[in-house]
């Protein structure tokens, strides 16, 4: 918890069930990492590479994922309550729109390839 792994290379790391709350991973390479059921709440993953990562049922509440690369990531069952996904790339990610409904998504590339734009009535 609360460690600083900014720009670290953790590609293919097995971090399933890890407690990574409040950790700093901005700019880190976590491509194809196993993060299933991990606790990443309040972590900073801005501009991190999470392409192809397994984040099934991960706690991403209040996590900064702005500008993160989440292409082809497995995100089913993850908790996105209050998560910042502004400008993130979610293209081909395995996640439903309803699972993303409690996240801040302005400017994000959605799983279907479209860019998210909120209406003036949102939040």
């Amino acid at each position: 918890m609360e460690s600083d792994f900014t720009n670290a290379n953790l590609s293919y790391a097995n971090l399933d069930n890890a407690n990574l709350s409040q950790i700093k991973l901005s700019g880190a390479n976590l491509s194809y990492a196993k993060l299933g059921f991990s606790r990443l709440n309040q972590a900073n993953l801005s501009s991190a590479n999470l392409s192809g990562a397994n984040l099934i049922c991960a706690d991403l509440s209040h996590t900064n994922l702005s500008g993160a690369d989440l292409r082809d990531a497995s995100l089913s069952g993850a908790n996105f309550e209050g998560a910042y996904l502004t400008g993130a790339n979610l293209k081909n990610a395995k996640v439903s729109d309803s699972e993303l409904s409690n996240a801040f998504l302005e400017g994000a590339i959605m799983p279907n390839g479209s860019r998210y734009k909120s209406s003036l009535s949102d939040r």
Side-chain angles (χ1 to χ4, degrees):
M1 283 179 60
E2 299 183 43
S3 297
D4 189 343
F5 288 95
T6 300
N7 297 318
N9 185 359
L10 298 167
S11 183
Y12 292 94
N14 185 349
L15 298 166
D16 283 341
N17 299 301
N19 183 355
L20 302 169
S21 298
Q22 300 175 7
I23 195 166
K24 293 180 181 126
L25 284 161
S26 58
N29 181 2
L30 289 151
S31 59
Y32 302 99
K34 293 179 180 178
L35 292 155
F37 296 90
S38 60
R39 290 180 52 203
L40 287 154
N41 52 308
Q42 299 178 27
N44 184 350
L45 289 152
S46 62
S47 301
N49 180 358
L50 290 150
S51 60
N54 177 0
L55 290 143
I56 290 174
C57 296
D59 182 359
L60 298 167
S61 59
H62 306 285
T63 297
N64 181 356
L65 288 154
S66 58
D69 183 353
L70 290 154
R71 288 174 296 155
D72 302 306
S74 297
L75 301 164
S76 298
N79 178 2
F80 289 100
E81 180 75 36
Y84 288 89
L85 288 156
T86 52
N89 188 344
L90 292 152
K91 188 166 183 171
N92 296 322
K94 289 139 198 90
V95 64
S96 69
D97 288 347
S98 64
E99 288 172 307
L100 294 170
S101 65
N102 292 320
F104 298 96
L105 293 161
E106 192 65 35
I109 297 171
M110 299 304 284
N112 66 6
S114 68
R115 188 167 296 273
Y116 181 87
K117 180 130 177 71
S118 63
S119 65
L120 295 175
S121 62
D122 283 356
R123 295 186 223 266

